[in-house]
Amino acid sequence: MKFQQGAAQIWDPSHECLSREAMQALQLKRLQQAVQRVYANVPHYRQAFDRAGVKPEDLQSLADLQRFPFTVKEDMRVNYPYGLFAAPMKDVIRVHSSSGTTGKPTVVGYTRRDIEDWAGLVARFMSAAGVTEDDVVHIAFGYGLFTGAFGLHYGGEQIGATIIPMSGGNTDKQIMILKDYGATVLVCTPSYALTLADRMEKMGIDPRSLPLRVGLFGGEPWSEEMRREVEERLDIVATDNYGLSEIVGPGVAGECLCKKGMHLFEDHFYPEIIDPDSGEVLPPGEKGELVLTNIVQEAIPLIRYRTRDITRLHYEPCDCGRSLVRMDKTMGRSDDMLIIKGVNVFPTQIEEVLFQVEGCEPHYQLIVDREGSRDTLEVQVEVNENIFFDEMKKQRAFVDLVEKRLASTIGLHAKVKLVEPASMPRHEGKANRVIDRRKL
Ligand code: DLL
């Protein structure tokens, strides 16, 4: 292995190594300010707090937060695009977005200070993984509305590393640049890291001949087995980092080299673990849904945002010296969101497209699979008698139309397969429309 453990620095010891008491005192102060700010500036929160019978002054201890209502993705849809912003647009200098449950995405904003804070948070986990100013960081996330590329870009710049803003796609070119520009750090989804390994193998390039030594992977769930495979095939140390656009993007939590869970940056995001069915807060160490409150953000501070990610938090100190709580790899979701090739997809988005195409019936099934390291999505949809053409040409044109509409809504190619009228299983009760054959 080309890595030396001693190289990892603690980026911000004044916040990453606080005692539990000092952290809780800081969190309470920041939480109080956050609820006051949203109550004063965001009509949605004023109404939601009033409905729940709570006022910002009721927050006298961290436990009091349990009396405040949750924020859910649907609230972002109802307030689309900027309704949840707590800062005036003149102070918002950047916007990003993520998938919504239907055609409209969720929108988030950042003030200048938010952008600086975000870079600092990303710098924390990059530094925890051993990245320094001597590194050359190849970013293979797509630059655009997705938070991945810009988040890692500015975090890496704050560290002083050399950034290669490669963006996504074109695997052969990625490999040429990786090799020629001498990247030491690779940033992408874990599944894309395997795609790169596959392609290098086919091209006859030995990853051991490259200076690459660390991978910062995130944006989708992956297992310890997958980590071992990536580490072995690319000859790197592979680290995990977690985030979601609604909260900031990447930079919510990330692993240090002990790889015993991702340090969650609790001085910015107050975490709770709840029972996803009852909404009750669970005791420390229990498995449940992660709920996060932005306690520093200016542009769109969300209160008790239900991430839908299932995990567990560990409060025992870590050998690396950080006292920040550690979050386990996610163990699923409490909703039906799929992550396919790193893209978040809700079955409801697909359903909406199918409903709009004349001839498609409301009976469909999604089959997610993995060929090699590539995720695939097949949409099987029932069509009515008028559409089940005998003519191949017409059928092909119909399939093309549905595939195009799907691609423009979900941002991903799905293979469409038409099935005969009345051939799909009819569900009794809750329909299970997704078959996920991937073994992560
Ligand atoms: O995926 C932000 C991100 C970009 C994180 C790059 C890390 C690196 P969204 O597109 O809004 O934002 O998707 C957020 O992705 O709720 C999780 O379900 C999943 N997710 C993100 N990181 C991880 C991870 C970005 N390390 C959703 N492990 C989240 C498991 C992850 N799931």
Side-chain angles (χ1 to χ4, degrees):
M1 213 42 89
K2 290 169 258 179
F3 187 75
Q4 286 151 20
Q5 175 121 4
Q9 297 279 320
I10 298 184
W11 183 254
D12 180 5
S14 65
H15 291 102
E16 295 184 75
C17 307
L18 289 176
S19 68
R20 187 66 15 216
E21 298 70 42
M23 176 60 82
Q24 288 177 342
L26 179 67
Q27 286 174 322
L28 181 59
K29 195 173 107 216
R30 290 182 167 179
L31 253 176
Q32 287 170 330
Q33 288 164 354
V35 291
Q36 267 158 14
R37 201 167 54 246
V38 297
Y39 193 74
N41 297 318
V42 186
H44 163 83
Y45 280 113
R46 178 173 285 269
Q47 285 154 19
F49 290 4
D50 286 350
R51 232 179 290 126
V54 283
K55 293 256 177 289
E57 309 76 78
D58 294 331
L59 195 100
Q60 293 302 324
S61 71
L62 290 175
D64 289 336
L65 187 63
Q66 294 177 37
R67 298 173 53 195
F68 286 73
F70 293 118
T71 307
V72 293
K73 218 174 180 89
E74 174 67 7
D75 295 323
M76 307 202 67
R77 193 188 64 75
V78 171
N79 291 286
Y80 177 85
Y82 303 137
L84 292 182
F85 284 17
M89 282 310 274
K90 73 174 173 47
D91 294 341
V92 173
I93 64 162
R94 177 99 64 78
V95 163
H96 280 284
S97 72
S98 179
S99 328
T101 47
T102 57
K104 294 286 187 196
T106 58
V107 182
V108 290
Y110 305 76
T111 63
R112 190 171 300 283
R113 199 193 77 190
D114 293 338
I115 290 281
E116 279 160 18
D117 284 349
W118 185 20
L121 293 167
V122 173
R124 285 187 190 180
F125 77 74
M126 293 181 84
S127 183
V131 178
T132 72
E133 60 189 3
D134 295 326
D135 278 301
V136 177
V137 181
H138 178 107
I139 300 184
F141 281 132
Y143 278 71
L145 288 170
F146 178 57
T147 51
F150 282 95
L152 272 290
H153 183 109
Y154 288 102
E157 278 193 359
Q158 207 172 96
I159 285 182
T162 308
I163 305 299
I164 304 176
M166 177 66 208
S167 201
N170 202 344
T171 304
D172 286 5
K173 191 165 173 199
Q174 297 263 358
I175 292 170
M176 181 188 86
I177 303 273
L178 264 172
K179 201 163 145 267
D180 294 353
Y181 295 10
T184 54
V185 177
L186 172 64
V187 172
C188 57
T189 56
S191 55
Y192 193 64
L194 283 180
T195 301
L196 286 168
D198 287 346
R199 192 74 200 132
M200 278 188 208
E201 209 167 273
K202 286 212 178 80
M203 291 164 80
I205 293 171
D206 179 7
R208 279 161 185 78
S209 68
L210 308 180
L212 209 58
R213 60 179 193 87
V214 175
L216 301 169
F217 303 126
E220 65 182 10
W222 53 311
S223 60
E224 285 302 328
E225 292 77 64
M226 195 158 156
R227 185 202 312 257
R228 273 192 289 279
E229 190 182 341
V230 173
E231 291 195 326
E232 223 174 273
R233 295 187 60 194
L234 288 178
D235 190 31
I236 56 172
V237 172
T239 61
D240 193 3
N241 68 84
Y242 167 89
L244 58 160
S245 329
E246 289 84 351
I247 292 299
V248 76
V252 173
E255 274 181 339
C256 67
L257 291 167
C258 300
K259 297 187 197 161
K260 289 197 176 133
M262 294 177 275
H263 289 286
L264 197 150
F265 304 134
E266 315 167 67
D267 53 321
H268 280 247
F269 315 107
Y270 180 73
E272 298 169 279
I273 294 286
I274 62 160
D275 174 331
D277 297 323
S278 69
E280 288 300 312
V281 172
L282 298 173
E286 296 262 317
K287 174 176 155 187
E289 181 185 325
L290 177 68
V291 170
L292 293 170
T293 298
N294 280 116
I295 57 178
V296 179
Q297 257 239 5
E298 290 181 330
I300 176 167
L302 297 183
I303 306 297
R304 303 195 85 202
Y305 183 69
R306 291 192 59 166
T307 66
R308 306 287 175 182
D309 290 313
I310 306 293
T311 185
R312 201 179 266 135
L313 297 179
H314 302 278
Y315 286 86
E316 310 82 57
C318 180
D319 292 341
C320 70
R322 290 173 187 79
S323 55
L324 296 163
V325 68
R326 283 166 294 128
M327 162 185 169
D328 274 347
K329 274 188 176 300
T330 60
M331 303 164 220
R333 295 200 36 105
S334 68
D335 65 1
D336 53 3
M337 186 180 93
L338 299 159
I339 306 186
I340 304 170
K341 288 191 199 155
V343 178
N344 302 352
V345 179
F346 287 92
T348 39
Q349 291 175 288
I350 294 180
E351 184 170 300
E352 207 178 60
V353 172
L354 297 179
F355 277 10
Q356 283 164 7
V357 178
E358 177 93 26
C360 287
E361 293 286 309
H363 305 293
Y364 64 94
Q365 196 144 50
L366 311 181
I367 296 167
V368 191
D369 211 338
R370 189 162 269 180
E371 281 166 15
S373 57
R374 290 179 77 84
D375 290 339
T376 58
L377 169 64
E378 181 174 291
V379 178
Q380 298 183 348
V381 59
E382 213 175 278
V383 283
N384 64 31
E385 299 285 354
N386 310 337
I387 297 295
F388 212 81
F389 319 100
D390 293 330
E391 251 181 83
M392 282 303 282
K393 225 165 113 190
K394 277 194 190 160
Q395 216 177 95
R396 188 64 245 163
F398 187 77
V399 165
D400 281 350
L401 170 86
V402 182
E403 286 183 350
K404 272 205 192 94
R405 291 213 187 156
L406 279 173
S408 87
T409 301
I410 61 175
L412 191 77
H413 173 76
K415 184 165 177 268
V416 169
K417 192 170 158 200
L418 307 183
V419 302
E420 289 191 41
S423 66
M424 278 269 162
R426 299 299 189 252
H427 301 275
E428 285 170 19
K430 207 168 149 58
N432 184 11
R433 301 189 190 282
V434 181
I435 300 174
D436 195 340
R437 298 199 179 117
R438 293 173 298 183
K439 285 187 198 75
L440 291 176

